[in-house]
Amino acid sequence: MSNQKFTYGSDPELCLFDKEKNRIVSSIPVLKRDKNNPIDLGKGIRMYFDNVLVETSFPPTETKEKFISELKYVLTKMHKFLGNRYQLIPKAAHFYDNEELKDEKAWEAGCDPNFDFWEERINTPIEFTNNLRTGSCHFHVGNEKLTELETRHTALKLMDIFLGCSSVIFDKDKSSKTRRVYYGASGEFRPTDYGLEYRVISPYVLNSPKLMELSLDLIDYSLSNLENGEKIIKSIKPEEVKTAINKCNKKLAEKILSQVSLPTKLIDRVKKDYKFKKLHQEWGI
């Protein structure tokens, strides 16, 4: 499928920081709109609360370059809507103050099931038992071939190997390990009528256009290996991939990427020590 065209999309979930209160707060009383009645930011861009986090969705793009450009535009529109008081924070997991969880919607988990492509099973639904909430950066990839079960699962396994394991190395958010106890574990996805939704990656990739570009390049590299996918998958141990991702085990992740011969140009970018300013500064908004 090296010559196939893909579409790229995402529905990031971010924490909301209140500058007046000087802490992360629930987005429910700020946005007042959920996904069933979203805020319309124009051009198909929607913003709404998902549990206590801020979520956005926007139309898919046909190139990685267009995706980066569109995401910058989306973040700009969100930033403008929220005004000077609030700031978007790409944090993997956060324990919220009790007063931020008074609304009953703060205790609602997603109603749509998600699946494990390694085990080919439905994941057990999450029930909130404490004040921990988690963010994410789901990647949506579209192509007619990816609607076929076998091809879709091969693509997802390759994405876990190349992107999932790489994220363990480049994601420096200390809360990412906590997140994966509850959410975004290896193998987590949803099938779609256009392809797939990969649900493993944390919002850390939203920190910088460079990190987002790296993530998309790793997705593309995964998809470019579909024809040779089964050979690559057989060269690793699925349990090691799961352990590397779920336990944020960098040494094991590096071992797996070495086994599958991730190109030097990509591995160098994965291992790079990225330094970030605040999200709005990195994206120039």
Side-chain angles (χ1 to χ4, degrees):
M1 291 182 67
S2 57
N3 296 321
Q4 293 284 331
K5 291 185 177 181
F6 300 91
T7 59
Y8 307 86
S10 184
D11 55 331
E13 301 164 346
L14 301 104
C15 292
L16 185 66
F17 185 83
D18 186 330
K19 295 178 184 177
E20 290 187 9
K21 294 182 178 180
N22 196 33
R23 58 180 169 82
I24 290 174
V25 298
S26 168
S27 71
I28 296 173
V30 178
L31 300 182
K32 300 182 176 67
R33 308 271 284 274
D34 63 15
K35 65 180 180 180
N36 297 313
N37 184 31
I39 298 164
D40 184 355
L41 296 179
K43 295 186 177 181
I45 304 167
R46 306 186 307 162
M47 181 168 67
Y48 42 92
F49 68 78
D50 182 5
N51 198 272
V52 294
L53 284 89
V54 179
E55 183 169 354
T56 184
S57 61
F58 53 96
T61 67
E62 294 183 351
T63 67
K64 295 178 294 181
E65 294 75 18
K66 180 64 176 175
F67 179 92
I68 298 291
S69 175
E70 187 68 11
L71 181 55
K72 178 179 179 178
Y73 179 75
V74 169
L75 292 171
T76 300
K77 297 289 284 186
M78 295 172 72
H79 183 78
K80 184 177 180 179
F81 180 90
L82 290 167
N84 293 328
R85 177 173 174 175
Y86 299 102
Q87 182 180 333
L88 296 169
I89 304 292
K91 188 177 182 183
H94 182 73
F95 284 91
Y96 282 78
D97 291 349
N98 288 333
E99 67 178 273
E100 303 300 333
L101 302 176
K102 290 180 179 179
D103 194 303
E104 61 182 14
K105 293 185 181 297
W107 295 91
E108 292 179 0
C111 56
D112 296 329
N114 65 73
F115 303 84
D116 183 329
F117 52 77
W118 290 111
E119 303 295 333
E120 298 189 1
R121 69 184 182 194
I122 298 176
N123 287 322
T124 303
I126 298 171
E127 290 187 8
F128 295 115
T129 58
N130 57 30
N131 292 20
L132 179 69
R133 300 294 183 270
T134 60
S136 197
C137 185
H138 307 148
F139 283 104
H140 299 250
V141 186
N143 180 279
E144 185 178 355
K145 292 292 290 184
L146 296 179
T147 63
E148 299 172 2
L149 180 63
E150 185 175 347
T151 303
R152 174 192 284 148
H153 281 204
T154 298
L156 286 162
K157 290 174 183 178
L158 292 172
M159 288 171 67
D160 233 21
I161 292 168
F162 292 115
L163 174 55
C165 288
S166 291
S167 75
V168 170
I169 300 168
F170 66 64
D171 188 336
K172 303 301 192 297
D173 186 340
K174 293 180 180 179
S175 70
S176 287
K177 188 172 183 178
T178 301
R179 170 183 177 265
R180 287 202 166 116
V181 174
Y182 300 91
Y183 190 92
S186 167
E188 192 169 316
F189 85 106
R190 279 181 181 149
T192 67
D193 57 6
Y194 50 81
L196 59 87
E197 177 189 7
Y198 182 66
R199 298 170 59 83
V200 176
I201 305 303
S202 88
Y204 186 82
V205 297
L206 293 162
N207 271 297
S208 163
K210 291 182 179 179
L211 208 51
M212 182 58 71
E213 183 179 5
L214 171 59
S215 300
L216 293 171
D217 285 343
L218 289 164
I219 290 173
D220 258 16
Y221 184 74
S222 302
L223 298 173
S224 72
N225 280 282
L226 270 173
E227 293 181 2
N228 195 38
E230 288 304 317
K231 183 177 179 180
I232 294 172
I233 294 165
K234 288 179 180 178
S235 73
I236 55 89
K237 297 178 181 178
E239 288 304 320
E240 288 191 342
V241 173
K242 296 176 190 178
T243 299
I245 294 173
N246 295 344
K247 302 297 183 182
C248 294
N249 186 323
K250 288 180 170 59
K251 287 185 178 180
L252 185 53
E254 289 181 3
K255 171 192 168 185
I256 292 166
L257 293 175
S258 176
Q259 285 179 329
V260 296
S261 302
L262 183 66
T264 302
K265 288 184 177 180
L266 282 173
I267 196 66
D268 286 347
R269 290 166 64 195
V270 169
K271 292 182 177 181
K272 183 177 178 180
D273 186 17
Y274 294 91
K275 303 294 184 183
F276 302 121
K277 298 177 183 178
K278 293 180 179 179
L279 181 147
H280 68 277
Q281 293 173 306
E282 289 292 329
W283 286 90
I285 58 178

